[in-house]
Amino acid sequence: MRVAMKVSLIAAALISLSACQKEAAEPAAPKLDTDTAKQSYALGLSAGKYLNNAVEEHKKLNLTLDAALILRGVQDAAGGGKPAMAEEEIQKVLTALDEQFRNKQAEMAKTKAEEAKAKGVAYLAENAKKAGVTTTASGLQYEVITAADGAKPKAEDTVKVKYKGTLTDGTEFDSTEKNNNGEPIEFPLNRVIKGWTEGVQLMGVGSKFKFTVPSELAYGENGMGPIPANSVLVFEVELVGISAPEAAAPAGEEAKK
């Protein structure tokens, strides 16, 4: 049984109990005149926030629970009454509820991924019609913002770039301006997403391109951090420099050092 599931049940009970108490009378403000009092109250607030968050997560999945019966279960477990279910049945029921929760999570994730895929396909189709947009054989789309005749990198080279990455709705998820104080970063070109490896090789040093990257050339069905599954990504990239890969030492050279 997942901890979050157990927590959500307790949370629902606490919310119900809190509502009943408010109907009876508004509680007086707590007296926080000692360290113990402050620590106790702070712990309660922290736990309450955690419990409420857990409840909200279950609401998102349309899981309906009877608050009155949850409260009764908490009271019975705390000694206020005789449990109406045997321990074996409790475990069976909660295991089934946990499975239902996980299944709903999977269903929602699948639906969102399918919707994102369809939106991405439509976005790419419209973007391809814009003046100045070129689509490569892989499906990568690019626009030249600033042209330059500098050297072009190979996949095995290390490149130095400035960039900004956004979702198709304009939400920025990464940039050198935001995460590297505006300074360029360096990385081996063959160790990033396929869309970058292909696209940056089209650039000359000093140029700036806009890339629209299909999900299969980015993070695909898995997504990554703030990037949802099946997302089409948009990058503005400025190629600042190229560093050739270091040559391997001749056989026996390492032993001489």
Side-chain angles (χ1 to χ4, degrees):
M1 179 67 180
R2 295 184 318 107
V3 173
M5 181 63 73
K6 290 182 178 179
V7 166
S8 70
L9 299 180
I10 297 171
L14 292 177
I15 289 172
S16 176
L17 179 59
S18 175
C20 292
Q21 290 175 333
K22 285 183 178 180
E23 289 178 4
E26 187 68 27
K31 188 176 182 180
L32 306 177
D33 56 352
T34 66
D35 286 344
T36 297
K38 292 177 181 178
Q39 291 164 355
S40 300
Y41 186 66
L43 182 61
L45 284 178
S46 179
K49 290 178 181 178
Y50 177 76
L51 295 173
N52 283 331
N53 287 339
V55 168
E56 290 304 315
E57 288 303 310
H58 286 76
K59 285 183 179 179
K60 291 177 184 177
L61 299 177
N62 297 318
L63 286 173
T64 57
L65 297 168
D66 189 320
L69 285 175
I70 294 171
L71 180 57
R72 175 61 185 272
V74 172
Q75 292 172 333
D76 287 352
K82 181 179 179 180
M85 298 172 67
E87 186 63 30
E88 182 178 349
E89 185 179 7
I90 292 172
Q91 292 303 319
K92 184 177 180 180
V93 169
L94 293 182
T95 297
L97 182 58
D98 185 44
E99 182 177 1
Q100 182 184 14
F101 180 89
R102 288 185 284 107
N103 288 341
K104 282 185 173 290
Q105 274 188 319
E107 290 173 6
M108 182 172 289
K110 182 179 179 181
T111 297
K112 286 184 177 180
E114 290 174 348
E115 291 175 351
K117 184 68 174 179
K119 289 180 180 178
V121 170
Y123 184 89
L124 289 165
E126 286 301 311
N127 193 64
K129 300 175 184 178
K130 294 180 180 178
V133 174
T134 300
T135 303
T136 70
S138 70
L140 176 68
Q141 298 178 355
Y142 69 91
E143 302 171 57
V144 179
I145 299 174
T146 304
D149 295 328
K152 294 181 179 180
K154 302 181 182 65
E156 61 270 19
D157 289 339
T158 293
V159 296
K160 181 183 289 187
V161 303
K162 291 183 178 181
Y163 71 92
K164 180 175 73 172
T166 64
L167 303 177
T168 56
D169 64 1
T171 301
E172 182 177 323
F173 58 82
D174 194 13
S175 71
T176 47
E177 183 66 33
K178 182 169 65 176
N179 297 322
N180 205 45
N181 296 318
E183 295 298 318
I185 64 169
E186 291 185 281
F187 52 82
L189 192 51
N190 58 5
R191 296 184 186 177
V192 289
I193 60 174
K194 294 178 181 178
W196 268 69
T197 302
E198 176 186 354
V200 177
Q201 290 184 78
L202 303 172
M203 302 177 69
V205 172
S207 64
K208 185 175 182 179
F209 280 29
K210 179 179 179 180
F211 297 107
T212 303
V213 185
S215 61
E216 58 269 22
L217 298 180
Y219 296 103
E221 297 179 352
N222 297 320
M224 175 66 69
I227 300 172
N230 289 333
S231 291
V232 170
L233 305 181
V234 180
F235 292 96
E236 290 186 4
V237 182
E238 178 184 353
L239 181 57
V240 177
I242 303 170
S243 299
E246 294 183 6
E253 283 297 313
E254 287 297 324
K256 295 178 184 178
K257 295 181 179 178

